Amino acid sequence: MEYSLLYHHSQQVKNKLFVFCIMLSLWVYMLYCCVGYCSTIPTFMLEERSRRIQAPRPLQNQDMFVKTQSRGLLNNESDSDSRGDGWEENKGEMTYDEDSEVTGALNGTESKKLPQAIIIGVKKGGTRALLEFLRLHPDIRAVGAEPHFFDRNYEKGLEWYRELMPKTSEGQLTMEKTPSYFVTKEVPGRIHAMSKDTKLIVVVRDPVTRAISDYTQTRSKKPDIPSFESLTFKNITANLIDTSWSAVQIGMYARHLERWLQFFPLDQLLFVSGERLIIDPAGEMARVQHFLGLRRVVTHKHFHFNPAKGFPCLKRPESNSKPHCLGKTKGRTHPNIDLDVIQRLRDFYRPFNKKFYRMTGHDFGWD
């Protein structure tokens, strides 16, 4: 009888040990899976999360903050263009080069290269549209977001910059776009130091319309900023334009171009009309492809004009898939600006425009 009880007790202990071992094994396996998953999270995602959880710094003076931010549009960190989100979410259908990335990676023939061509400006000129049009080309690989290497991150070095670039195979062109490059004084010399052969593209637009579009974008994020009129003038009675406000300053194209021509010959820069990019995207794209030395692949077959947006949408010519268009951050309705203010701005820009026409050899018809 004692032996039977002892045996029964021993069996219970064994059963409990067995269950404990199973539970321990399951717990270890789950821990292993979690660790394995976390190790696959890209570093940039972890960095992004850490940035998001950092508490914003308190404002010392709210009025001064509003005034400073209103005029500090030149390097707007929250610019939607910087994130590359100006286009709606079916862009994966349109970028022909994504398939070639997979094929090249499998063949081991791809590598990251410094860009041979850069869209250097201008803000609110149409740089995002041009970049998306170019990404239709199978011989172009481009960074979607703006690296801001030559104006904000230069101290991180060229290898850091190279790592941001997409992988390309032989014969493909690496590109990026950062519109603030055109107006940042140090950038021409820095790009020249990287490569004196870099091809540069500048998308320009009527400077008055561009300034209003710039202001409209900022007001969509900061509704309490001062009026366009009050920011435009230092003294409206004396007709004194405030050229320290970047929305005005950016449109003084001739002044910025002078710096670039100290480092690059004129034939190394292509000036794209933001207006023509809307009404004749295929025509402007023909010029861009020729400038970059590419076969003419992107043609009128790739564009579908959206009358509601007032912008061209992109489509695959060989399919019936829905065209993808500019997203909600583009084509915002401009505020009503006093016609007298607009005329004063046109008078202000006229000598800069005429000089820009002479420098580029092209009349953009803004006057």
Side-chain angles (χ1 to χ4, degrees):
M1 188 67 169
E2 280 183 16
Y3 176 80
S4 176
L5 288 172
L6 184 61
Y7 174 81
H8 182 68
H9 178 71
S10 175
Q11 193 65 32
Q12 284 182 328
V13 171
K14 287 181 179 179
N15 289 342
K16 289 180 179 179
L17 283 173
F18 179 73
V19 171
F20 175 78
C21 289
I22 291 176
M23 295 295 291
L24 181 62
S25 299
L26 288 172
W27 183 82
V28 170
Y29 178 74
M30 289 175 65
L31 181 63
Y32 171 80
C33 290
C34 290
V35 172
Y37 171 75
C38 291
S39 68
T40 65
I41 298 177
T43 305
F44 74 86
M45 290 178 66
L46 296 174
E47 292 174 349
E48 177 66 20
R49 176 173 174 80
S50 67
R51 282 198 297 269
R52 288 180 180 177
I53 62 176
Q54 288 177 356
R57 291 179 295 179
L59 301 179
Q60 299 295 324
N61 186 313
Q62 185 66 33
D63 293 337
M64 181 61 70
F65 174 78
V66 170
K67 188 71 171 177
T68 302
Q69 292 298 307
S70 299
R71 297 191 182 278
L73 303 178
L74 187 60
N75 292 323
N76 190 341
E77 294 284 356
S78 62
D79 191 340
S80 62
D81 269 358
S82 298
R83 300 190 299 273
D85 64 354
W87 289 77
E88 292 172 353
E89 283 303 317
N90 48 352
K91 69 175 67 174
E93 297 178 0
M94 302 301 302
T95 50
Y96 291 13
D97 52 350
E98 288 180 356
D99 290 338
S100 64
E101 179 183 10
V102 176
T103 303
L106 291 174
N107 294 335
T109 59
E110 291 200 329
S111 61
K112 293 187 176 184
K113 303 178 182 70
L114 292 170
Q116 298 95 355
I118 304 176
I119 301 172
I120 58 174
V122 298
K123 182 182 178 184
K124 307 311 294 179
T127 59
R128 171 57 53 185
L130 178 61
L131 183 71
E132 294 304 323
F133 296 169
L134 283 168
R135 292 173 81 183
L136 293 174
H137 201 293
D139 295 336
I140 287 180
R141 299 297 315 286
V143 185
E146 295 168 7
H148 283 282
F149 172 65
F150 293 103
D151 59 348
R152 300 181 194 168
N153 297 299
Y154 193 62
E155 73 285 351
K156 295 181 179 178
L158 284 174
E159 285 308 308
W160 177 88
Y161 184 46
R162 189 198 305 270
E163 281 302 306
L164 299 180
M165 298 300 119
K167 289 184 177 180
T168 55
S169 57
E170 188 67 30
Q172 285 185 317
L173 194 70
T174 303
M175 289 191 68
E176 70 118 317
K177 78 106 177 170
T178 303
S180 55
Y181 287 167
F182 185 64
V183 297
T184 305
K185 293 179 180 179
E186 299 81 8
V187 171
R190 290 172 175 178
I191 293 181
H192 187 269
M194 177 189 73
S195 172
K196 60 180 175 42
D197 299 319
T198 307
K199 293 189 175 183
L200 307 167
I201 300 176
V202 190
V203 188
V204 288
R205 180 185 183 188
D206 180 332
V208 176
T209 310
R210 197 222 64 81
I212 296 172
S213 181
D214 201 334
Y215 172 80
T216 303
Q217 175 177 287
T218 304
R219 195 179 70 163
S220 71
K221 300 166 187 173
K222 306 180 182 77
D224 56 343
I225 64 171
S227 69
F228 180 84
E229 289 84 353
S230 65
L231 291 169
T232 299
F233 294 93
K234 283 185 178 178
N235 187 324
I236 194 167
T237 305
N239 198 32
L240 187 60
I241 302 288
D242 189 352
T243 58
S244 68
W245 185 31
S246 64
V248 169
Q249 187 186 99
I250 291 172
M252 300 158 65
Y253 302 139
R255 183 172 293 181
H256 305 304
L257 180 57
E258 287 175 339
R259 289 195 296 269
W260 289 90
L261 294 181
Q262 293 175 15
F263 292 91
F264 295 95
L266 187 61
D267 60 6
Q268 220 164 300
L269 289 93
L270 178 70
F271 300 91
V272 175
S273 166
E275 289 84 8
R276 297 293 301 173
L277 203 59
I278 293 173
I279 62 176
D280 182 22
E284 285 300 286
M285 281 302 298
R287 294 180 60 240
V288 175
Q289 289 169 99
H290 177 75
F291 173 73
L292 294 175
L294 300 172
R295 53 201 170 106
R296 189 174 175 183
V297 172
V298 184
T299 66
H300 68 278
K301 297 178 181 178
H302 293 85
F303 299 102
H304 169 76
F305 189 79
N306 183 338
K309 272 282 184 186
F311 287 94
C313 302
L314 303 178
K315 64 178 182 178
R316 280 187 184 272
E318 73 278 7
S319 75
N320 294 321
S321 60
K322 180 182 177 182
H324 82 288
C325 304
L326 284 162
K328 63 182 179 180
T329 64
K330 303 296 179 181
R332 298 182 182 94
T333 302
H334 288 182
N336 292 322
I337 307 297
D338 188 286
L339 292 179
D340 180 61
V341 171
I342 292 176
Q343 187 56 52
R344 292 194 200 189
L345 263 180
R346 292 208 178 281
D347 294 341
F348 167 78
Y349 279 123
R350 187 169 293 110
F352 292 101
N353 291 346
K354 289 185 180 301
K355 185 176 181 179
F356 186 65
Y357 299 164
R358 291 195 301 270
M359 294 173 75
T360 61
H362 182 78
D363 188 336
F364 290 89
W366 297 322
D367 299 302

